[in-house]
Amino acid sequence: MEQIIQQLVNGISLGSIYALIALGYTMVYGIVKLINFAHGDVFMVGAFIGFYSITILDLGFFPSLLISMAACALLGVLIERIAYKPLRNATRIAALITAIGVSLLIEYGMIYVRGAQPEAYPGDLIPAKSLEFLGVKVSSQSVLILGTSLVLMILLQFIVHKTKIGKAMRAVSHDMDAARLMGINVNNTISVTFAIGSALAGAAGVAFGMYYTKIEPLMGIIPGLKAFVAAVLGGIGIIPGAMVGGLLLGVIESLVSAAGFSLWRDGVAFVVLILILIFRPAGLFGKNIREKV
């Protein structure tokens, strides 16, 4: 029993990272109906910015986290304005191909700039302490990652539901043309959405680097795809769904590893994707077509 609880704790810590990345996918899709496959690479850039802030600028975890979030927010806005805005009225396939192209550009641009060699986050970034509760050990690292993720998720909910820009985002998500007629600056609202989603991905990158230590230029591919699965699992375009989907996917991965199938921990995410698309295409929080609205 203790081992199961331990794996649940580990899974929630990992799932909170997936949830932060998934929020970017679901926010962008909810507003412009675009799957931003470059989002995983923004997460990778965030991990490297956090690493260099810690090692070169000699900053702590939280200052590095804020710098990474700010830089990734700027990168998200640049990607939206340069790559996606000109294709706002283009076909879905054109936007999808562009997203894949931007993803490859970021990955191999990073390799060109700094090389393909991996880096390692410092092991002494935070004190190596652990809390023990009912026989379950929880590291200070896991507590910090989970606490930071929860604070960011709560802050996002506050922004979306209690601020003027949040109301504009919900209006544009519901009906872009009607929002424009009501005087909402749709272009700026979309840019802010990309900025917020990318900032969350940057925070996830720093948390991921601290959790796994090793980072490298192609690290965004698998976590990015898993976060997409988490967004679909919860219901693409639904913010609470992305949060729950990320946490649930992290727990499933940890339990699969604990059962002795660690080689399947990456594959299980895509098994979950196939099952959710077959049995509940709208996700856990979405409404199926046959359900009454």
Side-chain angles (χ1 to χ4, degrees), residues 27 31 67 94 134 156 171-172 226 235 263 282:
M27 289 173 65
I31 288 187
I67 289 174
L134 298 177
L156 174 64
V172 173
K226 288 181 181 178
L263 294 176

Side-chain angles (χ1 to χ4, degrees), residues 92-152:
R92 294 281 182 87
I93 191 66
L96 179 62
I97 292 171
T98 301
I100 296 172
V102 172
S103 172
L104 293 172
L105 177 64
I106 295 174
E107 289 170 8
Y108 291 97
M110 179 66 78
I111 291 175
Y112 178 79
V113 169
R114 63 163 302 279
Q117 70 276 11
E119 300 284 3
Y121 264 62
D124 57 350
L125 186 58
I126 59 172
K129 297 180 181 179
S130 61
L131 305 174
E132 189 167 345
F133 181 73
L134 298 177
V136 177
K137 290 185 177 181
V138 183
S139 66
S140 56
Q141 183 186 70
S142 296
V143 172
L144 182 61
I145 290 173
L146 181 58
T148 302
S149 300
L150 289 176
V151 168
L152 290 174

Side-chain angles (χ1 to χ4, degrees), residues 2-114:
E2 290 179 0
Q3 186 178 2
I4 293 176
I5 298 175
Q6 183 72 62
Q7 294 303 321
L8 287 175
V9 171
N10 295 338
I12 290 172
S13 297
L14 177 60
S16 64
I17 298 175
Y18 291 153
L20 287 178
I21 309 172
L23 286 169
Y25 278 112
T26 208
M27 289 173 65
V28 169
Y29 183 84
I31 288 187
V32 293
K33 301 297 182 288
L34 167 70
I35 302 297
N36 179 21
F37 281 116
H39 193 62
D41 300 294
V42 174
F43 154 81
M44 175 270 294
V45 171
F48 273 100
I49 291 174
F51 171 77
Y52 289 126
S53 297
I54 292 166
T55 56
I56 296 177
L57 300 180
D58 198 25
L59 298 175
F61 173 76
F62 288 109
S64 300
L65 184 78
L66 294 176
I67 289 174
S68 180
M69 290 177 68
C72 287
L74 179 60
L75 177 61
V77 172
L78 289 175
I79 291 172
E80 189 274 327
R81 287 294 173 99
I82 295 172
Y84 298 144
K85 185 179 178 182
L87 299 175
R88 191 75 48 82
N89 298 317
T91 59
R92 294 281 182 87
I93 191 66
L96 179 62
I97 292 171
T98 301
I100 296 172
V102 172
S103 172
L104 293 172
L105 177 64
I106 295 174
E107 289 170 8
Y108 291 97
M110 179 66 78
I111 291 175
Y112 178 79
V113 169
R114 63 163 302 279

